[in-house]
Amino acid sequence: MSKITLKCSDSCDFKGIFKIMAEAFPASERRTEEKQLALFDNINYKPYVFEKDGVIIGFILAWEISDFRFIEHFAVDKSYRGSGIGSRILSEYLLMNEKPVCLEVEPPLNSISERRIVFYRRLGFMLNDFEYFQPVLQPGQKEVELKIMSYPKFLSKEQFNFYSQNARYARLDE
C-alpha cells in the first residue's frame, strides 16, 4: 500500500468527506451538506484527512476547544473498513494532540455498537457513564442518546459538564 498520512487540511475535498459521512452516519447524526460545509469556515473546527493516492479514504472532523479536542465525526470509506486504517487514523490523531480527546458513541445496545466501543477502548478511550444527548443537527430530527468516551482517562463529573456544555455550544448554528 502506498504511504498514507493524516493531515489537517484547510483546502480538502469536501465532497469526498461528505460522501463518506453520508454513508457512515444516519441523518440524525450529521448536518445537511450545506451546514456541514459552512463549518469549515469556523476556526475551531478542523478537518483531518487520510488520503491514498490523492483520494480521501478517511477523516476526523474535530472541534479544537480550549481544554480538549472533541471528535465530532470519524469515518473510513466503506471499501477500507476492517483493514486497520481506522486504527491508524485515530492513533495518528491522538499523537498529534496533548489535550484530552472526547467523542460520542452509541450506547452498547447491540453487537455493532459494542464492537465500536471495543475498537475505541483498544486505542485507550474510556467509556464514561453519564447521561448525554447529542444536540439536534438537522431540522426535523430528535436529540440522540449517546455515550461519551474520553482519552486518555475517565472524565470527572465536572469535566463531563464542561465537555458537554462546550460541545453543545460549538454545535450551535452561527
Side-chain angles (χ1 to χ4, degrees), residues 100-136:
V101 177
C102 296
L103 53 79
E104 302 162 332
V105 294
E106 295 153 336
L109 302 176
N110 58 46
S111 63
I112 293 171
S113 58
E114 288 172 0
R115 281 196 316 260
R116 210 169 275 135
I117 290 168
V118 168
F119 167 80
Y120 289 120
R121 279 187 169 144
R122 276 196 320 261
L123 295 168
F125 280 84
M126 308 293 177
L127 182 65
N128 293 274
D129 192 31
F130 299 109
E131 184 176 83
Y132 175 79
F133 290 88
Q134 178 192 56
V136 175

Side-chain angles (χ1 to χ4, degrees), residues 151-173:
Y151 174 90
K153 59 186 180 178
F154 287 104
L155 299 174
S156 68
K157 182 65 173 169
E158 294 76 26
Q159 290 169 318
F160 172 78
N161 289 338
F162 178 80
Y163 157 79
S164 60
Q165 289 168 355
N166 280 280
R168 190 170 288 277
Y169 173 77
R171 289 177 162 163
L172 294 176
D173 289 340

Side-chain angles (χ1 to χ4, degrees), residues 19-36:
K19 177 184 174 283
I20 296 170
M21 181 184 286
E23 292 171 347
F25 294 94
S28 62
E29 294 181 23
R30 61 182 160 83
R31 292 173 186 78
T32 63
E33 188 171 358
E34 178 183 286
K35 289 202 181 257
Q36 190 66 46

Side-chain angles (χ1 to χ4, degrees), residues 137-152:
L137 297 179
Q138 283 196 49
Q141 299 291 335
K142 296 180 181 178
E143 287 186 326
V144 178
E145 182 179 4
L146 297 173
K147 290 292 187 183
I148 301 303
M149 295 193 79
S150 56
Y151 174 90

Side-chain angles (χ1 to χ4, degrees), residues 10 31 35-47 62-65 169-174:
D10 293 328
R31 292 173 186 78
K35 289 202 181 257
Q36 190 66 46
L37 180 59
L39 283 181
F40 282 63
D41 292 331
N42 187 313
I43 61 169
N44 295 320
Y45 191 75
K46 305 289 183 193
W63 290 97
E64 298 192 350
I65 301 169
Y169 173 77
R171 289 177 162 163
L172 294 176
D173 289 340
E174 302 184 336

